[in-house]
Amino acid sequence: MTRQLRIVVGITGGIAAYKALSVVRAFVRDGHDVNVVATDAALEFVGRASLEALSRNPISTGLYDDVANVRHVQLGQTADVVVVAPATANTLANMAGGHAHDLLGNILLATRGRVVVAPAMHTEMWNHPATQANVATLRARGVSIVGPETGNLTGDDSGVGRMVEPDSLVAACYAAAHSPQRLDLVGKRILISGGGTREQIDPVRFLGNRSSGRQAVALAEAALARGAKVSFVHAFMDVAVPAGVDAHHTPTAAEMLETMVQLSPQHDIVVMAAAVADYRPVDISDEKIKKSADGAPVKLGLEQTADVLATISQSPGRTNLIVGFAAETASGSALEELAREKCERKRCDVVAANTVSWTEGIASHDNAVTLVWRNTPKIERITGDKLSVAHRILDMLV
Ligand code: CTP
C-alpha cells in the first residue's frame, strides 16, 4: 500500500468480533491509521485492552467520550474507509434506517469515506426479508457488503452467515478505498480469456490475428476492482497481463481449449474474449518452408480447431454463466442477428458483439458492444473506452 489510509473499524456485538482483531492488526501492519469504535455489546466479546494494543490508538465506545473534539463527527469526516465487522442484523437495520443512537451510528452518518460491511449472523436472520431489504437499501447507497460466507456458525448449525475471513475483508477495504466502483463481485470467481492465438506453420511462421487483448485486460481490471478473484487465460497480446490475476499463457487454440475446459467449472462467470484461431495447419513443418523456385502459389492445408466457447458452454451439468464475444464486419441489425445466432449455436448465455474493420474494434482503445441474451429478446448497447465498456458488461452480468 502506498498511501496511508485513515480507517475506522466499527465492531458490533457478535461472536465474530474476534476476527475484527486480525483485521485491525492487518491494517496497522500495513501502516494505516486505525481507530476502533466498539459498541458496548462488542466489548462483551473482545477486550478493550486487546483492541487498544493492536490499533495503537485509544478505542472509542460512547457518544460522550471526548466531546470537546466533537469526536463522532471528526472520526467520520476524516475516515477514508469505515468498516463495520462484524455487522449484526441489528446493525444493518440501524444503518438502513440511518439511526444515530450510538457513536458508530453517528460516524456512519458523518462519513464521506467508503463504507464496507461484513455481516455475521445466523442463517435464518440473514435470510429474513427484513435483513435482505436492509442489505439491498445499503447496497443501493453504495455500501460494499462483503460476505457473509457459508460454513460453521456459532452453535451446532452451519449455513450462510459466517463473517468473511479477515484477509478477504482487508483486501476488500483496500479495493474500496482505491476504486470508485462498488464491491459487488467479492466472493465471485471470474475466468477471462484474451488475446489472439498463433498456430505454427513452421519454426518461424504462424497464422495469427490482430487481437490486442485490450478488452480482456479491461474486463480483468474491472472485475478485480469490484472484488472478484480473476483467472486470466491469454494468448498473445499487445498489452501486459494485469497484476493480481491468476495468469495462464496458452499460445495455441488447442492449449487454450485444454486450460479453459479444466478451469471453467471452478468459476462462477466465464468471459471468452480471446480471438481463437478457427483453423490450424494440418502439418507443422519442422524445417523452414522454402520459397518455390518457379514462383508457383503455395497451398497450406488447414483443419478446423475445436470451438472453446461451444465446448465449455455445452459441458454436461454446467452451472456457471458463460459470455462469448463475436467480432463481425456486419453492423446494426445484421450484427444483432449474427450475435443471436452465435449465442444459440454455441449455447452460451450472453454474446457481446462488436463491429470490426481495418480501423474499428480491434486494437483501438474504444469499443461499441451489443449484448444479446440467449432465449430472450433482451438487448443492451454499450459504447465508450474499453474499461467503461468492461464495467457496463459486468453491471449487466451482476
Ligand atoms: N471461439 C472459441 N473457439 C474457437 C473460435 C471462437 O472459443 N475456435 C469463441 C471466441 O472466443 C468468441 C466466440 O467464439 O467468444 C465467437 O468467435 P468468432 O470468431 O466471432 O466466431 P466463430 O465461431 O469463429 O464464427 P465465425 O468466425 O464464422 O464468425
Side-chain angles (χ1 to χ4, degrees), residues 185-191 228-229 263-271 318-323 349:
L185 289 173
V186 170
K188 295 279 177 240
R189 292 155 306 171
I190 303 195
L191 171 60
K229 274 200 167 154
L263 293 180
S264 173
Q266 302 156 29
H267 291 80
D268 304 296
I269 301 173
V270 182
V271 184
R318 83 150 162 111
T319 53
N320 53 5
L321 181 72
I322 299 187
V323 183
D349 302 296

Side-chain angles (χ1 to χ4, degrees), residues 89-141:
N90 185 44
T91 307
L92 295 177
N94 284 331
M95 288 177 72
H99 297 304
H101 48 232
D102 59 10
L103 181 59
L104 184 58
N106 279 267
I107 287 169
L108 286 162
L109 289 184
T111 191
R112 290 185 294 242
R114 297 297 306 264
V115 178
V116 180
V117 172
M121 64 199 72
H122 281 278
T123 307
E124 293 79 2
M125 297 171 83
W126 174 252
N127 286 337
H128 194 283
T131 305
Q132 289 301 309
N134 291 331
V135 167
T137 301
L138 294 173
R139 278 211 173 101
R141 281 186 205 142

